[in-house]
Amino acid sequence: MTAPEPPARPVLVCGEVRTGLLPSLHALDVRAATQLLRLRSDDHVLVSERPVPRVLSPEILTGVDCPLPAAGGARNRAVGTVAARAALTSGRVLQTTAYVSLPATGPDARRPWGQYLVRPGLAEPFGRLPVRAVAEGVLRGARRGELDLGIIAENLSARLVRHPLLDHRTPFKSRRTRMRWVARRVPEGDKAALERFTLAEDGLRTVELRLPDGVAAAAAAGMCEDLALHDWLLTTLAHMLDDSRLAAADGPAAVLALRPAVDHLLHLWMPRAHVDRSLTAVWDALEEAPGFTRQWQTQVQRIRDQLALQAIPLLHRALSPS
Amino acid sequence: MLIFAASDKGGTGRSVTGANLAYRRALAGDHVCYLDFDFGSPTAAAVFDVLDARAAAEDRGLHAYLAGEAGEPARIDVWARTEHPVLRDLPPGTGRLELFPGDLSGGEFAATGENLHRCVDLLLRLDGEYDLILVDLSAGRSYAVDMVLAATARPEMRAVVSRWLVFHRWTRQHVTAAAHLAFGPRGIVAGGVARGHDEDALRAGVRFVRSGVPDLESPLWSQVTPTQSAWMRRTDEDLRQLASVLGAGHRTVLGTVPLDPVLQWREQLITDEDVVVSQIANRETWEALGELAHRLTDDKCWEQA
């Protein structure tokens, strides 16, 4: 028996991240988070305590054999496995990611299934991969019957949310976001870069990256999770400020509406904390424009100023002789 | 909070009243979503005037989602997509209002297994996002009713408050049918108990909404003959007694929506413009809808009847 031909070099990595508040009244401590994210008994949950606690599940695989989404109607079947994982930041923000690497070409016939299983997170096309069309198709979203990374991420999220550890008493209402990303492989030594980051309606974000060979697909997934986490924090805080009607309403009510932000969100801002070092430069572009951290700090300062203003009358009353 | 809108018969104003309640809560600042579980004949898109957006979401409606054919059900931002001119001009502080359309086609499916899981996932997810989730159920003891009864009986749903509105018109047949739908042997409470609900808790969360009720004190009826007036009052009183005997008496009624041709014929949202500017709708209707919308979350109205 001859050894199976190894798959070609991946030219594209695609993924989708769902980010949302964990439906639980209190943040989970690391022990409970580890229990929640133990998706497999044969692999470890990764815990990083600093600078902000983050728990990362082992990866689980979903076997796929279906057409890839592709712009312009190019049909291209792919076979292999999609990797999925979940991360919980500070016991509060739950993220699930599904991602897959795609090589430039693949055999014209399906291999024995075992050969796909030894290459987790890789799906081989039949023949040549129409790289540009597939990248566009993934960002646009899968149609019925096509490889849908969103469904895989969604199923994992639903499975976790059903866990009996969670009480479904959320401390505040918030929306989830979906981030679809594609990373085009560039030769090793080239710089990793963020080529495009867009906000679409309905909580959808799309990201295009350049990813040097040699940087693991999992690192790109981690980078996108970090980006999605901070985008979600910004979006959620902005919605809270809108809802509180700070500009229109007066008095303690408006400020009280912001209390969940202080309790649950303000301490989570830690961009790049869990990003692979080869990819931290990607963040720098975002800090320059639109200036993620600048926007965050402005919002945080606004909340703190309002809280301080509300405290003045109380202080005044406490100090004045009755 | 989940609000299920049910009715035994068609023509009770369930969808149009439900949509108006969603609209009024959003105007008051709540984030509201409206789920069209009336799979046979989805009407919500017409009520909210978002038909074009509805057509764009053709195969990604709630039915396709529950059947596992779509990863994410389509949602339509009513404020952004409506063709209704008044709805595009909103006062500051208005909450979100989003419609999850049903599918134009779609047969029955089992309220078990994966379908049920997806229903629970969706309701849990939306509960984390919206202040109020209004679910329009198809008329009668439909499979949509069975599905949400099974979903809300699941242990992971125990922290989510759910309430039921049973809509009926103010006639003998409608009152009888509505009481049966709520409390009859094949009704909502019995069906819920069979799926693991606590009977008292479920019963305490059921209220009736009387629609198309003529207000006998209104000037509309001031010109009728004394005989007609006496007959109307007697019939009204008979209906009250009947409702009371069947367990649908005034203590179980959340509100009454007056007979208003605008509500009946236009089957759309009643805006303040209809009342104040063009004056085609009655102020009483506007006020009744506002009061009903307020009572949805007023716990005093939901104490043990």
Side-chain angles (χ1 to χ4, degrees), chain A residues 197-222:
Chain A
F197 175 57
T198 58
L199 306 188
E201 59 181 11
D202 201 9
L204 177 67
R205 282 88 176 90
T206 59
V207 169
E208 289 173 58
L209 292 170
R210 277 159 29 132
L211 188 67
D213 285 340
V215 178

Side-chain angles (χ1 to χ4, degrees), chain B residues 110-287:
Chain B
T112 52
E114 283 300 304
N115 299 346
L116 179 59
H117 264 318
R118 280 188 281 270
C119 184
V120 173
D121 295 342
L122 180 69
L123 294 178
L124 282 177
R125 185 140 55 78
L126 297 181
D127 185 61
E129 240 180 76
Y130 298 92
D131 300 302
L132 200 71
I133 301 153
L134 212 139
V135 185
D136 186 35
L137 302 164
S138 35
R141 185 53 206 288
S142 57
Y143 64 108
V145 172
D146 289 344
M147 172 163 280
V148 299
L149 279 172
T152 48
R154 302 278 311 172
E156 47 284 32
M157 294 280 293
R158 64 185 170 267
V160 182
V161 178
S162 48
R163 290 172 172 171
W164 288 77
L165 299 182
V166 179
F167 289 80
H168 65 84
R169 280 174 49 208
W170 197 222
T171 72
R172 285 191 75 82
Q173 287 193 20
H174 270 272
V175 169
T176 312
H180 276 157
L181 176 65
F183 305 129
R186 287 197 64 254
I188 291 166
V189 172
V193 170
R195 284 168 179 76
H197 278 276
D198 174 69
E199 177 166 357
D200 292 339
L202 185 57
R203 190 176 276 270
V206 177
R207 290 291 181 277
F208 295 91
V209 176
R210 297 172 179 172
S211 69
V213 181
D215 175 6
L216 301 184
E217 310 307 325
S218 109
L220 209 56
W221 312 112
S222 62
Q223 301 300 315
V224 298
T225 65
T227 330
Q228 283 172 322
S229 172
W231 178 84
M232 284 174 75
R233 278 171 205 285
R234 203 169 55 239
T235 308
D236 191 58
E237 184 51 38
D238 285 351
L239 283 170
R240 282 175 202 281
Q241 280 192 6
L242 175 71
S244 173
V245 168
L246 293 173
H250 75 272
R251 274 180 309 180
T252 60
V253 173
L254 191 69
T256 298
V257 183
L259 189 64
D260 188 324
V262 178
L263 202 56
Q264 286 235 328
W265 287 343
R266 198 167 61 168
E267 295 185 314
Q268 282 201 338
L269 301 182
I270 291 192
T271 65
D272 59 347
E273 210 232 27
D274 297 326
V275 180
V276 179
V277 183
S278 67
Q279 302 193 350
I280 53 168
N282 293 319
R283 177 162 291 281
E284 290 74 19
T285 311
W286 170 261
E287 282 166 1

